[in-house]
Amino acid sequence: MKIKLTDGVYWVGIVDWALKHFHGFELSTHRGSTYNAYVIRDRKTALVDTVWAPFADEFVENVREVIDPTKIDYVIANHAEPDHSGGLPAIMQHCPNATVVVSKKGAESIPGHYHQQWNFKTVGTGDTISLGQHTLTFFAAPMLHWPDSMFTYLAPDAILLPNDAFGQHYATAFRFNDQVNQQELFDEALKYYANILTPYSKQVIAKIDELLAMGLPVGMIAPSHGVIWRDQPLQIVHKYRPWAEQKPLPRAVILYDTMWEATRKMAEAVGEGLCNEGVDFKLFHMAVADRNDVITEIFQSKAILIGSPTLNNGLLPTISPILEDCRGLRFQNKIGAAFGSYGWNGGSVKMIEKHMQDCGVPLVAEGVAAKWQPDANALSRCRELGRTVAHAIQHS
Ligand code: FEO
């Protein structure tokens, strides 16, 4: 399948409706994904990015619908992660003398993945390649999403090909943003940002400001996942800018796990305290919640309240992954508090508090620990914890 963007420019990617997990099992993709690649036909022909290796043969056939793959002159590898570079060996079998264009860091990562003696050309910001009527200009975009990432800009069509940036894990029947459900589209764009790009928010702001300051015309933004932004393409850029500033909404996320319902009762009492002060919250039982959906809620919220019973002198195993996410994603502008039940031996609340402090999340209330099942006094302390956090949200 091929889809025309402009004269001589075609999408030749793959729609992966079945994908439910990405990065192994690190990221849930409830709505599938796409691996977008683009062919530009001119006096010279360029292919921008490829697809994940299991789809390499279908991808080569998509390319063949536009041009005989032996005629490809340039293969632009904007990013080495295998969802975009995995089709390189298959396509390069057809055009072994094509030039593989990589960023300075890509000159390390692409050969490191494929160990092939291809003809490499390394480019940096502002370097260009003329295809005839079309010109490709390259912009280094480190950490959007890897150190090797770069954007390719196509003139005169004014198409920005930013690889991972501005993407969504979103399989759809249609390829353009004006053709799909807008709520789903922005939900997926937000989940993608929160779960993948949050730790690189400083680089996102710098890159957006750099590109906007250049005043390049942008007729389309064609990322390597999800739909192509052709209707008001800069709208996703103007979403990314405040997302990258990480100014949270005045609400809270309560997440917990429980063995015999004691910590659940505490979590709900914390929620009552928030609610009584007019602060909205979402409550997640981590044994059954989707971790990445929880991360998206945390990303948007001011406060994180985490509860776990003490088990084997530690936390319930379902709590540890989200704590690790909080460390790795380096959320900014959060506040936190902890709670949890215990039986013979306690310690979970202190462990969660230490982890939050290590993540740079300031504690705004003393944690609540309850022995065995929480009694009226313990539940009252949980409601008070919720009220204290609510006040901290309201005065932040
Ligand atoms: Fe879609 Fe960083 O790969």
Side-chain angles (χ1 to χ4, degrees):
M1 180 170 61
K2 70 175 192 293
I3 303 287
K4 181 178 175 180
L5 276 68
T6 56
D7 285 345
V9 182
Y10 296 88
W11 175 91
V12 289
I14 294 290
V15 180
D16 187 354
W17 291 91
L19 188 80
K20 296 302 169 201
H21 295 95
F22 193 75
H23 286 157
F25 276 76
E26 186 270 328
L27 178 63
S28 62
T29 51
H30 307 311
R31 294 191 174 102
S33 193
T34 76
Y35 318 107
N36 298 339
Y38 303 92
V39 169
I40 302 134
R41 280 194 72 165
D42 201 327
R43 285 204 296 279
K44 300 279 189 182
T45 293
L47 170 67
V48 179
D49 291 319
T50 69
V51 303
W52 190 28
F55 297 97
D57 290 345
E58 292 168 55
F59 159 67
V60 171
E61 292 312 306
N62 287 351
V63 171
R64 200 185 302 281
E65 288 187 29
V66 179
I67 191 166
D68 176 351
T70 64
K71 308 285 189 210
I72 293 171
D73 299 289
Y74 298 101
V75 179
I76 316 301
N78 278 322
H79 175 30
E81 196 161 14
D83 49 325
H84 307 297
S85 69
L88 275 173
I91 201 75
M92 291 303 292
Q93 282 185 0
H94 296 272
C95 51
N97 295 317
T99 300
V100 179
V101 179
V102 294
S103 68
K104 291 183 174 65
K105 287 290 184 184
E108 300 173 29
S109 55
I110 293 283
H113 275 80
Y114 300 105
H115 309 289
Q116 297 288 324
Q117 300 300 312
W118 296 325
N119 300 320
F120 287 102
K121 177 182 174 66
T122 302
V123 293
T125 294
D127 288 344
T128 61
I129 292 176
S130 173
L131 304 176
Q133 300 296 313
H134 297 84
T135 301
L136 303 171
T137 305
F138 305 99
F139 299 91
M143 306 320 295
L144 279 76
H145 151 235
W146 275 4
D148 60 12
S149 295
M150 67 176 180
F151 293 178
T152 299
Y153 178 80
L154 177 67
D157 309 66
I159 301 175
L160 181 66
L161 302 144
N163 196 265
D164 275 333
F166 313 121
Q168 332 90 48
H169 288 304
Y170 186 29
T172 49
F174 302 104
R175 299 274 56 78
F176 295 100
N177 67 313
D178 50 292
Q179 298 174 303
V180 302
N181 181 296
Q182 298 300 291
Q183 186 67 51
E184 290 181 356
L185 170 58
F186 283 99
D187 284 352
E188 292 302 333
L190 175 63
K191 179 177 178 179
Y192 185 99
Y193 189 93
N195 282 272
I196 298 171
L197 292 172
T198 296
Y200 315 121
S201 289
K202 275 187 187 165
Q203 290 92 334
V204 170
I205 290 172
K207 189 53 56 181
I208 286 175
D209 290 352
E210 175 191 329
L211 290 174
L212 292 179
M214 292 172 72
L216 286 171
V218 178
M220 285 189 207
I221 296 177
S224 290
H225 295 293
V227 297
I228 297 162
W229 303 88
R230 71 174 176 190
D231 175 48
Q232 303 177 62
L234 288 177
Q235 63 177 304
I236 187 59
V237 177
H238 295 305
K239 286 281 186 190
Y240 262 47
R241 192 64 172 72
W243 288 346
E245 288 172 359
Q246 295 197 56
K247 291 182 180 160
L249 296 169
R251 62 193 204 202
V253 171
I254 304 170
L255 59 95
Y256 73 97
D257 199 358
T258 193
M259 295 171 70
W260 296 108
E261 308 300 325
T263 301
R264 174 185 64 77
K265 292 172 192 165
M266 297 176 77
E268 291 176 1
V270 170
E272 273 182 58
L274 288 160
C275 184
N276 288 343
E277 299 304 312
V279 169
D280 193 9
F281 68 90
K282 285 203 164 59
L283 190 147
F284 294 99
H285 181 188
M286 293 310 297
V288 293
D290 180 281
R291 209 184 85 250
N292 302 109
D293 292 341
V294 176
I295 288 168
T296 308
E297 291 296 334
I298 292 173
F299 175 79
Q300 297 176 86
S301 302
K302 179 68 183 174
I304 317 169
L305 297 114
I306 302 178
S308 174
T310 303
L311 174 71
N312 299 332
N313 297 316
L315 305 176
L316 282 194
T318 48
I319 296 298
S320 300
I322 197 86
L323 294 179
E324 188 59 22
D325 285 321
C326 288
R327 185 198 60 73
L329 291 169
R330 303 199 294 269
F331 292 118
Q332 303 295 308
N333 306 318
K334 305 295 184 198
I335 57 176
F339 58 93
S341 63
Y342 63 100
W344 303 110
N345 224 351
S348 62
V349 171
K350 292 292 176 210
M351 286 177 220
I352 295 168
E353 289 181 336
K354 176 164 188 328
H355 192 93
M356 283 189 174
Q357 288 171 319
D358 291 347
C359 294
V361 176
L363 302 168
V364 293
E366 188 178 342
V368 178
K371 191 170 174 67
W372 309 123
Q373 288 290 326
D375 60 10
N377 175 268
L379 292 175
S380 173
R381 286 189 291 133
C382 288
R383 283 189 283 273
E384 185 57 32
L385 175 74
R387 280 194 289 275
T388 303
V389 172
H391 295 156
I393 291 172
Q394 288 160 340
H395 293 103
S396 64

